[in-house]
Amino acid sequence: MSASTASYLPEGFEAATSALERSNIFRRRGNELYSKARDLAKDVDPYKDLRGVQESMKLYQAAMVEYGKALNFLPNDHRLYANRGLCYKAVEDWLKCKEDAQQCIKLQKNYVKGWLLLVKSIWELGKHADALQELQNGLKAIPGSRDLLDLQAALTSGCQARSAGRSVSPACTPGNTPSVSRSNTPPRHGTPP
């Protein structure tokens, strides 16, 4: 390997021999970038600090790249899809968030984070009935999941509040995803695994 090629490889990459070790190097870099982006986004007032918002977006995008590199070595690691999906969620790229969430739960049917990302991304794409159906699918895969039940309560109460006094189906009423603040649903809490 040439000196110029080695200069952009992560520290320890050449010593890593297995696909898992190499993937973990990129995953850890993605996690570090994600944490920096999340911390920066927490401290930024989007109405006053456009530079801070731009910097956090760049960090999320860099984390996405690192998770993508990790997936080159471990394409069947559901956690990598979930982590990258969290980055897409943070930058509000709902379609890509949905795609990664779908891949995540395809690989690991009982992974709560994957179901949360899938339901939230579909909801944000304005497909409320589909989001509620996926939520039911998630509850079938993980019966009694506290996180999914909390999301269900938030979505249905938000639908009911928005549709009060109207004859429109709550599943089709536009609006943002009601917030569900759980410790394992970043970007505000926790670092991806």
Side-chain angles (χ1 to χ4, degrees), residues 8-38:
Y8 71 86
L9 291 174
E11 184 178 324
F13 187 81
E14 289 180 4
T17 56
S18 72
L20 175 62
E21 290 172 334
R22 289 180 174 204
S23 176
N24 280 336
I25 290 170
F26 290 112
R27 180 188 54 80
R28 282 191 293 271
R29 286 180 56 175
N31 289 352
E32 290 169 11
L33 290 163
Y34 175 89
S35 293
K36 287 179 186 176
R38 184 197 61 228

PDB file of all heavy atoms in Angstrom, residues 8-38:
ATOM      1  N   TYR A   8      -5.189   8.152   4.231  1.00  0.00           N
ATOM      2  CA  TYR A   8      -6.596   8.399   4.479  1.00  0.00           C
ATOM      3  C   TYR A   8      -7.306   7.220   5.143  1.00  0.00           C
ATOM      4  O   TYR A   8      -8.478   7.303   5.462  1.00  0.00           O
ATOM      5  CB  TYR A   8      -7.334   8.824   3.202  1.00  0.00           C
ATOM      6  CG  TYR A   8      -7.513   7.714   2.181  1.00  0.00           C
ATOM      7  CD1 TYR A   8      -8.598   6.849   2.271  1.00  0.00           C
ATOM      8  CD2 TYR A   8      -6.624   7.558   1.145  1.00  0.00           C
ATOM      9  CE1 TYR A   8      -8.766   5.840   1.348  1.00  0.00           C
ATOM     10  CE2 TYR A   8      -6.791   6.552   0.220  1.00  0.00           C
ATOM     11  CZ  TYR A   8      -7.865   5.700   0.318  1.00  0.00           C
ATOM     12  OH  TYR A   8      -8.035   4.702  -0.595  1.00  0.00           O
ATOM     13  N   LEU A   9      -6.593   6.126   5.368  1.00  0.00           N
ATOM     14  CA  LEU A   9      -7.191   4.987   6.052  1.00  0.00           C
ATOM     15  C   LEU A   9      -7.200   5.251   7.547  1.00  0.00           C
ATOM     16  O   LEU A   9      -6.282   5.865   8.089  1.00  0.00           O
ATOM     17  CB  LEU A   9      -6.424   3.707   5.749  1.00  0.00           C
ATOM     18  CG  LEU A   9      -6.539   3.201   4.312  1.00  0.00           C
ATOM     19  CD1 LEU A   9      -5.619   2.006   4.098  1.00  0.00           C
ATOM     20  CD2 LEU A   9      -7.966   2.827   3.977  1.00  0.00           C
ATOM     21  N   PRO A  10      -8.219   4.783   8.219  1.00  0.00           N
ATOM     22  CA  PRO A  10      -8.289   5.000   9.666  1.00  0.00           C
ATOM     23  C   PRO A  10      -7.147   4.298  10.398  1.00  0.00           C
ATOM     24  O   PRO A  10      -6.635   3.279   9.935  1.00  0.00           O
ATOM     25  CB  PRO A  10      -9.620   4.363  10.064  1.00  0.00           C
ATOM     26  CG  PRO A  10     -10.336   4.067   8.813  1.00  0.00           C
ATOM     27  CD  PRO A  10      -9.358   4.062   7.703  1.00  0.00           C
ATOM     28  N   GLU A  11      -6.799   4.849  11.541  1.00  0.00           N
ATOM     29  CA  GLU A  11      -5.762   4.257  12.370  1.00  0.00           C
ATOM     30  C   GLU A  11      -6.157   2.830  12.742  1.00  0.00           C
ATOM     31  O   GLU A  11      -7.296   2.570  13.127  1.00  0.00           O
ATOM     32  CB  GLU A  11      -5.576   5.095  13.632  1.00  0.00           C
ATOM     33  CG  GLU A  11      -4.450   4.625  14.510  1.00  0.00           C
ATOM     34  CD  GLU A  11      -4.270   5.515  15.726  1.00  0.00           C
ATOM     35  OE1 GLU A  11      -4.458   6.735  15.589  1.00  0.00           O
ATOM     36  OE2 GLU A  11      -3.955   4.970  16.786  1.00  0.00           O
ATOM     37  N   GLY A  12      -5.233   1.917  12.619  1.00  0.00           N
ATOM     38  CA  GLY A  12      -5.493   0.527  12.957  1.00  0.00           C
ATOM     39  C   GLY A  12      -6.081  -0.299  11.833  1.00  0.00           C
ATOM     40  O   GLY A  12      -6.252  -1.497  11.961  1.00  0.00           O
ATOM     41  N   PHE A  13      -6.389   0.344  10.706  1.00  0.00           N
ATOM     42  CA  PHE A  13      -7.056  -0.371   9.614  1.00  0.00           C
ATOM     43  C   PHE A  13      -6.180  -1.472   9.039  1.00  0.00           C
ATOM     44  O   PHE A  13      -6.647  -2.576   8.790  1.00  0.00           O
ATOM     45  CB  PHE A  13      -7.489   0.599   8.519  1.00  0.00           C
ATOM     46  CG  PHE A  13      -8.330  -0.049   7.463  1.00  0.00           C
ATOM     47  CD1 PHE A  13      -9.682  -0.245   7.675  1.00  0.00           C
ATOM     48  CD2 PHE A  13      -7.778  -0.488   6.268  1.00  0.00           C
ATOM     49  CE1 PHE A  13     -10.471  -0.848   6.714  1.00  0.00           C
ATOM     50  CE2 PHE A  13      -8.558  -1.092   5.300  1.00  0.00           C
ATOM     51  CZ  PHE A  13      -9.916  -1.275   5.527  1.00  0.00           C
ATOM     52  N   GLU A  14      -4.915  -1.171   8.817  1.00  0.00           N
ATOM     53  CA  GLU A  14      -4.031  -2.167   8.223  1.00  0.00           C
ATOM     54  C   GLU A  14      -3.840  -3.370   9.129  1.00  0.00           C
ATOM     55  O   GLU A  14      -3.672  -4.489   8.665  1.00  0.00           O
ATOM     56  CB  GLU A  14      -2.688  -1.537   7.868  1.00  0.00           C
ATOM     57  CG  GLU A  14      -2.791  -0.585   6.700  1.00  0.00           C
ATOM     58  CD  GLU A  14      -1.468   0.038   6.330  1.00  0.00           C
ATOM     59  OE1 GLU A  14      -0.431  -0.322   6.921  1.00  0.00           O
ATOM     60  OE2 GLU A  14      -1.476   0.895   5.439  1.00  0.00           O
ATOM     61  N   ALA A  15      -3.876  -3.175  10.439  1.00  0.00           N
ATOM     62  CA  ALA A  15      -3.705  -4.275  11.381  1.00  0.00           C
ATOM     63  C   ALA A  15      -4.976  -5.112  11.507  1.00  0.00           C
ATOM     64  O   ALA A  15      -4.918  -6.261  11.919  1.00  0.00           O
ATOM     65  CB  ALA A  15      -3.300  -3.740  12.747  1.00  0.00           C
ATOM     66  N   ALA A  16      -6.107  -4.529  11.159  1.00  0.00           N
ATOM     67  CA  ALA A  16      -7.377  -5.257  11.263  1.00  0.00           C
ATOM     68  C   ALA A  16      -7.410  -6.331  10.183  1.00  0.00           C
ATOM     69  O   ALA A  16      -7.197  -6.050   9.010  1.00  0.00           O
ATOM     70  CB  ALA A  16      -8.549  -4.299  11.092  1.00  0.00           C
ATOM     71  N   THR A  17      -7.687  -7.540  10.599  1.00  0.00           N
ATOM     72  CA  THR A  17      -7.629  -8.642   9.644  1.00  0.00           C
ATOM     73  C   THR A  17      -9.002  -9.154   9.234  1.00  0.00           C
ATOM     74  O   THR A  17      -9.178  -9.590   8.112  1.00  0.00           O
ATOM     75  CB  THR A  17      -6.824  -9.816  10.228  1.00  0.00           C
ATOM     76  OG1 THR A  17      -7.403 -10.203  11.476  1.00  0.00           O
ATOM     77  CG2 THR A  17      -5.367  -9.428  10.415  1.00  0.00           C
ATOM     78  N   SER A  18      -9.966  -9.095  10.104  1.00  0.00           N
ATOM     79  CA  SER A  18     -11.276  -9.643   9.754  1.00  0.00           C
ATOM     80  C   SER A  18     -12.208  -8.538   9.263  1.00  0.00           C
ATOM     81  O   SER A  18     -11.991  -7.347   9.526  1.00  0.00           O
ATOM     82  CB  SER A  18     -11.906 -10.333  10.965  1.00  0.00           C
ATOM     83  OG  SER A  18     -12.329  -9.379  11.922  1.00  0.00           O
ATOM     84  N   ALA A  19     -13.238  -8.947   8.557  1.00  0.00           N
ATOM     85  CA  ALA A  19     -14.246  -7.992   8.087  1.00  0.00           C
ATOM     86  C   ALA A  19     -14.897  -7.291   9.277  1.00  0.00           C
ATOM     87  O   ALA A  19     -15.175  -6.087   9.226  1.00  0.00           O
ATOM     88  CB  ALA A  19     -15.298  -8.708   7.247  1.00  0.00           C
ATOM     89  N   LEU A  20     -15.126  -8.031  10.361  1.00  0.00           N
ATOM     90  CA  LEU A  20     -15.719  -7.437  11.555  1.00  0.00           C
ATOM     91  C   LEU A  20     -14.824  -6.351  12.132  1.00  0.00           C
ATOM     92  O   LEU A  20     -15.294  -5.255  12.455  1.00  0.00           O
ATOM     93  CB  LEU A  20     -15.986  -8.519  12.613  1.00  0.00           C
ATOM     94  CG  LEU A  20     -16.502  -8.022  13.961  1.00  0.00           C
ATOM     95  CD1 LEU A  20     -17.854  -7.326  13.792  1.00  0.00           C
ATOM     96  CD2 LEU A  20     -16.614  -9.170  14.952  1.00  0.00           C
ATOM     97  N   GLU A  21     -13.532  -6.629  12.250  1.00  0.00           N
ATOM     98  CA  GLU A  21     -12.610  -5.620  12.787  1.00  0.00           C
ATOM     99  C   GLU A  21     -12.579  -4.376  11.911  1.00  0.00           C
ATOM    100  O   GLU A  21     -12.596  -3.257  12.404  1.00  0.00           O
ATOM    101  CB  GLU A  21     -11.196  -6.200  12.907  1.00  0.00           C
ATOM    102  CG  GLU A  21     -11.054  -7.242  13.994  1.00  0.00           C
ATOM    103  CD  GLU A  21      -9.698  -7.932  13.973  1.00  0.00           C
ATOM    104  OE1 GLU A  21      -9.062  -7.998  12.884  1.00  0.00           O
ATOM    105  OE2 GLU A  21      -9.273  -8.398  15.030  1.00  0.00           O
ATOM    106  N   ARG A  22     -12.517  -4.586  10.600  1.00  0.00           N
ATOM    107  CA  ARG A  22     -12.464  -3.444   9.681  1.00  0.00           C
ATOM    108  C   ARG A  22     -13.777  -2.660   9.718  1.00  0.00           C
ATOM    109  O   ARG A  22     -13.778  -1.439   9.733  1.00  0.00           O
ATOM    110  CB  ARG A  22     -12.137  -3.907   8.273  1.00  0.00           C
ATOM    111  CG  ARG A  22     -10.699  -4.357   8.174  1.00  0.00           C
ATOM    112  CD  ARG A  22     -10.305  -4.825   6.826  1.00  0.00           C
ATOM    113  NE  ARG A  22      -8.866  -5.086   6.836  1.00  0.00           N
ATOM    114  CZ  ARG A  22      -8.111  -5.069   5.775  1.00  0.00           C
ATOM    115  NH1 ARG A  22      -8.624  -4.820   4.596  1.00  0.00           N
ATOM    116  NH2 ARG A  22      -6.823  -5.311   5.873  1.00  0.00           N
ATOM    117  N   SER A  23     -14.885  -3.357   9.760  1.00  0.00           N
ATOM    118  CA  SER A  23     -16.185  -2.698   9.854  1.00  0.00           C
ATOM    119  C   SER A  23     -16.290  -1.889  11.143  1.00  0.00           C
ATOM    120  O   SER A  23     -16.782  -0.759  11.141  1.00  0.00           O
ATOM    121  CB  SER A  23     -17.303  -3.742   9.788  1.00  0.00           C
ATOM    122  OG  SER A  23     -18.550  -3.129   9.969  1.00  0.00           O
ATOM    123  N   ASN A  24     -15.807  -2.459  12.235  1.00  0.00           N
ATOM    124  CA  ASN A  24     -15.891  -1.775  13.527  1.00  0.00           C
ATOM    125  C   ASN A  24     -15.086  -0.486  13.553  1.00  0.00           C
ATOM    126  O   ASN A  24     -15.453   0.470  14.235  1.00  0.00           O
ATOM    127  CB  ASN A  24     -15.459  -2.700  14.660  1.00  0.00           C
ATOM    128  CG  ASN A  24     -16.561  -3.645  15.065  1.00  0.00           C
ATOM    129  OD1 ASN A  24     -17.746  -3.378  14.851  1.00  0.00           O
ATOM    130  ND2 ASN A  24     -16.184  -4.762  15.662  1.00  0.00           N
ATOM    131  N   ILE A  25     -13.993  -0.433  12.804  1.00  0.00           N
ATOM    132  CA  ILE A  25     -13.213   0.806  12.736  1.00  0.00           C
ATOM    133  C   ILE A  25     -14.067   1.922  12.134  1.00  0.00           C
ATOM    134  O   ILE A  25     -14.151   3.027  12.677  1.00  0.00           O
ATOM    135  CB  ILE A  25     -11.915   0.583  11.921  1.00  0.00           C
ATOM    136  CG1 ILE A  25     -10.958  -0.306  12.713  1.00  0.00           C
ATOM    137  CG2 ILE A  25     -11.265   1.917  11.560  1.00  0.00           C
ATOM    138  CD1 ILE A  25      -9.764  -0.798  11.926  1.00  0.00           C
ATOM    139  N   PHE A  26     -14.750   1.634  11.043  1.00  0.00           N
ATOM    140  CA  PHE A  26     -15.604   2.643  10.406  1.00  0.00           C
ATOM    141  C   PHE A  26     -16.850   2.924  11.250  1.00  0.00           C
ATOM    142  O   PHE A  26     -17.312   4.066  11.324  1.00  0.00           O
ATOM    143  CB  PHE A  26     -15.986   2.200   8.996  1.00  0.00           C
ATOM    144  CG  PHE A  26     -14.836   2.224   8.032  1.00  0.00           C
ATOM    145  CD1 PHE A  26     -14.316   1.048   7.520  1.00  0.00           C
ATOM    146  CD2 PHE A  26     -14.255   3.422   7.650  1.00  0.00           C
ATOM    147  CE1 PHE A  26     -13.242   1.061   6.629  1.00  0.00           C
ATOM    148  CE2 PHE A  26     -13.178   3.460   6.760  1.00  0.00           C
ATOM    149  CZ  PHE A  26     -12.675   2.270   6.253  1.00  0.00           C
ATOM    150  N   ARG A  27     -17.395   1.892  11.896  1.00  0.00           N
ATOM    151  CA  ARG A  27     -18.569   2.090  12.750  1.00  0.00           C
ATOM    152  C   ARG A  27     -18.228   3.044  13.890  1.00  0.00           C
ATOM    153  O   ARG A  27     -18.980   3.973  14.181  1.00  0.00           O
ATOM    154  CB  ARG A  27     -19.076   0.750  13.305  1.00  0.00           C
ATOM    155  CG  ARG A  27     -20.305   0.901  14.210  1.00  0.00           C
ATOM    156  CD  ARG A  27     -20.678  -0.396  14.898  1.00  0.00           C
ATOM    157  NE  ARG A  27     -19.582  -0.997  15.638  1.00  0.00           N
ATOM    158  CZ  ARG A  27     -19.190  -0.608  16.853  1.00  0.00           C
ATOM    159  NH1 ARG A  27     -19.787   0.389  17.468  1.00  0.00           N
ATOM    160  NH2 ARG A  27     -18.183  -1.217  17.459  1.00  0.00           N
ATOM    161  N   ARG A  28     -17.078   2.815  14.528  1.00  0.00           N
ATOM    162  CA  ARG A  28     -16.674   3.698  15.635  1.00  0.00           C
ATOM    163  C   ARG A  28     -16.479   5.132  15.152  1.00  0.00           C
ATOM    164  O   ARG A  28     -16.870   6.085  15.829  1.00  0.00           O
ATOM    165  CB  ARG A  28     -15.405   3.170  16.297  1.00  0.00           C
ATOM    166  CG  ARG A  28     -15.669   2.001  17.237  1.00  0.00           C
ATOM    167  CD  ARG A  28     -14.449   1.656  18.078  1.00  0.00           C
ATOM    168  NE  ARG A  28     -13.355   1.129  17.277  1.00  0.00           N
ATOM    169  CZ  ARG A  28     -13.174  -0.150  16.977  1.00  0.00           C
ATOM    170  NH1 ARG A  28     -14.031  -1.046  17.412  1.00  0.00           N
ATOM    171  NH2 ARG A  28     -12.149  -0.530  16.249  1.00  0.00           N
ATOM    172  N   ARG A  29     -15.883   5.285  13.963  1.00  0.00           N
ATOM    173  CA  ARG A  29     -15.725   6.644  13.405  1.00  0.00           C
ATOM    174  C   ARG A  29     -17.089   7.267  13.142  1.00  0.00           C
ATOM    175  O   ARG A  29     -17.310   8.449  13.414  1.00  0.00           O
ATOM    176  CB  ARG A  29     -14.901   6.603  12.126  1.00  0.00           C
ATOM    177  CG  ARG A  29     -13.424   6.378  12.409  1.00  0.00           C
ATOM    178  CD  ARG A  29     -12.590   6.331  11.176  1.00  0.00           C
ATOM    179  NE  ARG A  29     -12.745   7.537  10.366  1.00  0.00           N
ATOM    180  CZ  ARG A  29     -12.039   7.784   9.280  1.00  0.00           C
ATOM    181  NH1 ARG A  29     -11.129   6.929   8.875  1.00  0.00           N
ATOM    182  NH2 ARG A  29     -12.242   8.873   8.586  1.00  0.00           N
ATOM    183  N   GLY A  30     -18.021   6.492  12.612  1.00  0.00           N
ATOM    184  CA  GLY A  30     -19.385   6.977  12.397  1.00  0.00           C
ATOM    185  C   GLY A  30     -20.034   7.385  13.704  1.00  0.00           C
ATOM    186  O   GLY A  30     -20.690   8.426  13.790  1.00  0.00           O
ATOM    187  N   ASN A  31     -19.834   6.572  14.743  1.00  0.00           N
ATOM    188  CA  ASN A  31     -20.408   6.884  16.055  1.00  0.00           C
ATOM    189  C   ASN A  31     -19.844   8.191  16.617  1.00  0.00           C
ATOM    190  O   ASN A  31     -20.585   9.002  17.186  1.00  0.00           O
ATOM    191  CB  ASN A  31     -20.146   5.751  17.048  1.00  0.00           C
ATOM    192  CG  ASN A  31     -20.942   4.504  16.754  1.00  0.00           C
ATOM    193  OD1 ASN A  31     -21.821   4.485  15.895  1.00  0.00           O
ATOM    194  ND2 ASN A  31     -20.615   3.437  17.457  1.00  0.00           N
ATOM    195  N   GLU A  32     -18.545   8.385  16.450  1.00  0.00           N
ATOM    196  CA  GLU A  32     -17.923   9.623  16.942  1.00  0.00           C
ATOM    197  C   GLU A  32     -18.484  10.845  16.210  1.00  0.00           C
ATOM    198  O   GLU A  32     -18.806  11.864  16.833  1.00  0.00           O
ATOM    199  CB  GLU A  32     -16.405   9.555  16.766  1.00  0.00           C
ATOM    200  CG  GLU A  32     -15.722   8.570  17.687  1.00  0.00           C
ATOM    201  CD  GLU A  32     -14.264   8.332  17.322  1.00  0.00           C
ATOM    202  OE1 GLU A  32     -13.709   9.080  16.475  1.00  0.00           O
ATOM    203  OE2 GLU A  32     -13.680   7.375  17.868  1.00  0.00           O
ATOM    204  N   LEU A  33     -18.597  10.736  14.895  1.00  0.00           N
ATOM    205  CA  LEU A  33     -19.132  11.850  14.105  1.00  0.00           C
ATOM    206  C   LEU A  33     -20.598  12.107  14.461  1.00  0.00           C
ATOM    207  O   LEU A  33     -21.023  13.261  14.579  1.00  0.00           O
ATOM    208  CB  LEU A  33     -18.986  11.554  12.614  1.00  0.00           C
ATOM    209  CG  LEU A  33     -17.551  11.580  12.091  1.00  0.00           C
ATOM    210  CD1 LEU A  33     -17.460  10.882  10.743  1.00  0.00           C
ATOM    211  CD2 LEU A  33     -17.048  13.013  12.002  1.00  0.00           C
ATOM    212  N   TYR A  34     -21.365  11.032  14.622  1.00  0.00           N
ATOM    213  CA  TYR A  34     -22.773  11.159  15.006  1.00  0.00           C
ATOM    214  C   TYR A  34     -22.890  11.881  16.348  1.00  0.00           C
ATOM    215  O   TYR A  34     -23.706  12.797  16.499  1.00  0.00           O
ATOM    216  CB  TYR A  34     -23.422   9.770  15.083  1.00  0.00           C
ATOM    217  CG  TYR A  34     -24.838   9.806  15.585  1.00  0.00           C
ATOM    218  CD1 TYR A  34     -25.896   9.972  14.706  1.00  0.00           C
ATOM    219  CD2 TYR A  34     -25.114   9.694  16.935  1.00  0.00           C
ATOM    220  CE1 TYR A  34     -27.194  10.029  15.165  1.00  0.00           C
ATOM    221  CE2 TYR A  34     -26.411   9.748  17.404  1.00  0.00           C
ATOM    222  CZ  TYR A  34     -27.447   9.915  16.515  1.00  0.00           C
ATOM    223  OH  TYR A  34     -28.738   9.980  16.981  1.00  0.00           O
ATOM    224  N   SER A  35     -22.082  11.468  17.315  1.00  0.00           N
ATOM    225  CA  SER A  35     -22.130  12.097  18.645  1.00  0.00           C
ATOM    226  C   SER A  35     -21.782  13.576  18.576  1.00  0.00           C
ATOM    227  O   SER A  35     -22.430  14.406  19.221  1.00  0.00           O
ATOM    228  CB  SER A  35     -21.177  11.381  19.608  1.00  0.00           C
ATOM    229  OG  SER A  35     -21.630  10.087  19.871  1.00  0.00           O
ATOM    230  N   LYS A  36     -20.751  13.913  17.801  1.00  0.00           N
ATOM    231  CA  LYS A  36     -20.373  15.325  17.650  1.00  0.00           C
ATOM    232  C   LYS A  36     -21.514  16.114  17.000  1.00  0.00           C
ATOM    233  O   LYS A  36     -21.828  17.229  17.432  1.00  0.00           O
ATOM    234  CB  LYS A  36     -19.111  15.458  16.799  1.00  0.00           C
ATOM    235  CG  LYS A  36     -17.850  15.037  17.497  1.00  0.00           C
ATOM    236  CD  LYS A  36     -16.650  15.171  16.569  1.00  0.00           C
ATOM    237  CE  LYS A  36     -15.397  14.629  17.205  1.00  0.00           C
ATOM    238  NZ  LYS A  36     -14.253  14.670  16.273  1.00  0.00           N
ATOM    239  N   ALA A  37     -22.115  15.538  15.971  1.00  0.00           N
ATOM    240  CA  ALA A  37     -23.216  16.223  15.279  1.00  0.00           C
ATOM    241  C   ALA A  37     -24.394  16.423  16.217  1.00  0.00           C
ATOM    242  O   ALA A  37     -24.986  17.503  16.264  1.00  0.00           O
ATOM    243  CB  ALA A  37     -23.645  15.423  14.053  1.00  0.00           C
ATOM    244  N   ARG A  38     -24.736  15.384  16.965  1.00  0.00           N
ATOM    245  CA  ARG A  38     -25.866  15.459  17.896  1.00  0.00           C
ATOM    246  C   ARG A  38     -25.610  16.512  18.964  1.00  0.00           C
ATOM    247  O   ARG A  38     -26.476  17.331  19.271  1.00  0.00           O
ATOM    248  CB  ARG A  38     -26.117  14.091  18.535  1.00  0.00           C
ATOM    249  CG  ARG A  38     -27.339  14.065  19.433  1.00  0.00           C
ATOM    250  CD  ARG A  38     -27.355  12.886  20.366  1.00  0.00           C
ATOM    251  NE  ARG A  38     -26.184  12.964  21.217  1.00  0.00           N
ATOM    252  CZ  ARG A  38     -25.359  11.957  21.445  1.00  0.00           C
ATOM    253  NH1 ARG A  38     -25.549  10.798  20.901  1.00  0.00           N
ATOM    254  NH2 ARG A  38     -24.323  12.111  22.231  1.00  0.00           N
TER     255      ARG A  38
END
